[in-house]
Amino acid sequence: MKVFFRRIHLYLGLAAGLVITISCITGALLVFEKELTEAFNHDRYYVQPAGNRLPLDEIAAGVKKQVPGAGISRIQVFADPARTLAVVLDEKKGGKENKAAGEGKKQPAKPGGEKGKKEKGGRTAYVNPYTGKIIELYSYQKTFYYRIFSLHRWLLAGDTGKMITGISTLIFFFILLTGIILWWPKTRNILRQRLKVKWDSGWKRINHDMHIVLGFYTSLFLFVSVFTGLTWSFEWFNKGMYAALGTSPKAMEAPASVADTAATHSTISYEAALAQVKQQAPDAVYYSLSAPKDKDTAAAFTVSLLPAGALHEGATTTYYLDQFSGKVLQSQTFAERNLGQKIRGTIKPLHTGSIFGMPSKIFALILALLGATFPTTGTILWINRTMKKKKPRKVVLRAAA
């Protein structure tokens, strides 16, 4: 059985090794994407506070003037007075609505942009909250990190690349599984050998230990990365997971606004919506406000926020306000979500390593870099074993001659 699993482990590794290496290296580059992007583009995200912030509605009107033809999809306000406002634009091009994806939205609706297909994505206007001036019109799809993300998710090859990446991720799952079976020791002496890297040995032994010993230590965490990655790669895997748990990832249905026939039917302002939610949650890290679309009198005014001290970036709270009266119709904290919704909100922080902040990000970086080495160390290990088996045969042939 060991021989059987060793062959399966080897053949799967040779088949998907290159894609696994690319995925791990690009994943490592993406771990600190937010921090590096803000560091190298400081003026996009930070300004010098100067007095009181302008009203959000005045800022929204100013953005529309500075970007003719654009609507407002969402306004993100940060608690930090030095942060710029992120105004996600709703732009129309070629007669078709092109909804903005916003900051941090990394996946187009259909990953076929590399093949020339039209991508859904828009721009974000970073605005000085004290002057109303747009500092930069930002499009994620035009950045270096978007190329890295595209390479990570679909190898810059659209739907075909996405399928290859997904299959390679599934193969990686079985590589890890067979690796654990092969690692499992028969005796205590072997167990001790497989728990420690002998750094003072020759390069072949170090390569052996880096593959087997470090592979064992990282396997559990790589299982998590692979599992969360599969939920994005295959719809059947995603649906199957929720079905097995007997839960649903669907978000709570938004309640409807109630129009007063005696009223003017005017929608509340951004500033009024923010003030209403701040009464309920005054210390959020940020507030993201989305007004109903024009003429949609049944829709609610939506405000999402990240509470101070939240478990992770996906642990947001959502408020639904009546668009006419501003009354809170319904709210939902992360703790109030069902199991499926909680899993959905946790998958990305788990996969990217941001689940526990900076410590888990550093760990995720190390994990990804180690994951990138295993196809190489495994190939070298196979070559060394193959050469070792061939050597005695040559000696026998010479003796016979």
Side-chain angles (χ1 to χ4, degrees), residues 27-62:
L29 291 172
L30 290 167
V31 170
F32 287 100
E33 175 186 359
K34 180 182 177 181
E35 289 78 6
L36 291 174
T37 300
E38 290 185 1
F40 287 109
N41 302 274
H42 186 271
D43 292 342
R44 178 195 298 159
Y45 300 100
Y46 293 93
V47 296
Q48 185 65 38
N52 296 322
R53 173 180 58 79
L54 294 175
L56 296 180
D57 299 271
E58 183 178 334
I59 290 174

Side-chain angles (χ1 to χ4, degrees), residues 196-230:
K196 185 179 179 181
V197 178
K198 293 186 177 181
W199 297 108
D200 55 347
S201 300
W203 72 270
K204 289 184 178 181
R205 178 68 190 194
I206 292 175
N207 179 82
H208 172 276
D209 289 352
M210 284 187 67
H211 188 79
I212 294 177
V213 179
L214 297 182
F216 167 71
Y217 285 126
T218 60
S219 58
L220 177 62
F221 304 101
L222 286 173
F223 267 122
V224 174
S225 296
V226 168
F227 190 89
T228 52
L230 286 172

Side-chain angles (χ1 to χ4, degrees), residues 240-248 339-340:
M241 178 186 67
Y242 291 113
L245 294 172
T247 186
S248 172
L339 177 61

Side-chain angles (χ1 to χ4, degrees), residues 11-21 164 167-169 171-172 175 375:
Y11 297 149
L12 291 178
L14 292 174
L18 179 59
V19 178
I20 291 170
T21 301
I164 293 172
I167 293 173
S168 298
T169 304
I171 289 175
F172 196 16
I175 289 174

Side-chain angles (χ1 to χ4, degrees), residues 55-266:
L56 296 180
D57 299 271
E58 183 178 334
I59 290 174
V63 169
K64 289 180 180 180
K65 288 182 180 180
Q66 296 176 71
V67 188
I72 305 298
S73 177
R74 186 173 71 251
I75 299 179
Q76 191 171 27
V77 184
F78 293 86
D80 185 353
R83 282 297 301 265
T84 55
L85 294 182
V87 181
V88 181
L89 304 180
D90 186 359
E91 300 177 279
K92 295 181 180 180
K93 294 180 180 180
K96 294 183 179 180
E97 188 175 14
N98 187 12
K99 294 183 180 179
E103 182 186 9
K105 183 76 172 179
K106 302 177 183 177
Q107 183 180 2
K110 290 185 179 181
E114 304 305 325
K115 291 288 187 179
K117 297 180 183 178
K118 185 176 181 179
E119 295 180 4
K120 287 187 178 180
R123 296 182 294 176
T124 300
Y126 286 92
V127 184
N128 187 319
Y130 305 101
T131 65
K133 182 181 178 181
I134 294 177
I135 296 172
E136 183 179 343
L137 282 174
Y138 171 83
S139 176
Y140 181 72
Q141 283 75 14
K142 296 180 180 180
T143 64
F144 164 78
Y145 265 114
Y146 178 73
R147 303 296 292 182
I148 296 298
F149 175 77
S150 298
L151 184 59
H152 181 73
R153 285 297 305 276
W154 46 82
L155 301 174
L156 303 176
D159 293 334
T160 302
K162 181 183 178 182
M163 180 60 67
I164 293 172
T165 302
I167 293 173
S168 298
T169 304
L170 191 60
I171 289 175
F172 196 16
F173 177 86
F174 289 103
I175 289 174
L176 292 171
L177 189 62
T178 53
I180 292 294
I181 295 172
L182 293 172
W183 175 89
W184 205 262
K186 293 182 179 179
T187 65
R188 289 186 178 181
N189 288 333
I190 297 176
L191 174 62
R192 294 191 191 98
Q193 293 174 6
R194 294 183 180 179
L195 291 176
K196 185 179 179 181
V197 178
K198 293 186 177 181
W199 297 108
D200 55 347
S201 300
W203 72 270
K204 289 184 178 181
R205 178 68 190 194
I206 292 175
N207 179 82
H208 172 276
D209 289 352
M210 284 187 67
H211 188 79
I212 294 177
V213 179
L214 297 182
F216 167 71
Y217 285 126
T218 60
S219 58
L220 177 62
F221 304 101
L222 286 173
F223 267 122
V224 174
S225 296
V226 168
F227 190 89
T228 52
L230 286 172
T231 61
W232 290 323
S233 296
F234 299 110
E235 187 64 24
W236 60 264
F237 186 90
N238 186 54
K239 289 181 178 179
M241 178 186 67
Y242 291 113
L245 294 172
T247 186
S248 172
K250 291 183 179 179
M252 179 179 66
E253 187 176 349
S257 295
V258 181
D260 186 352
T261 55
T264 59
H265 292 187
S266 60

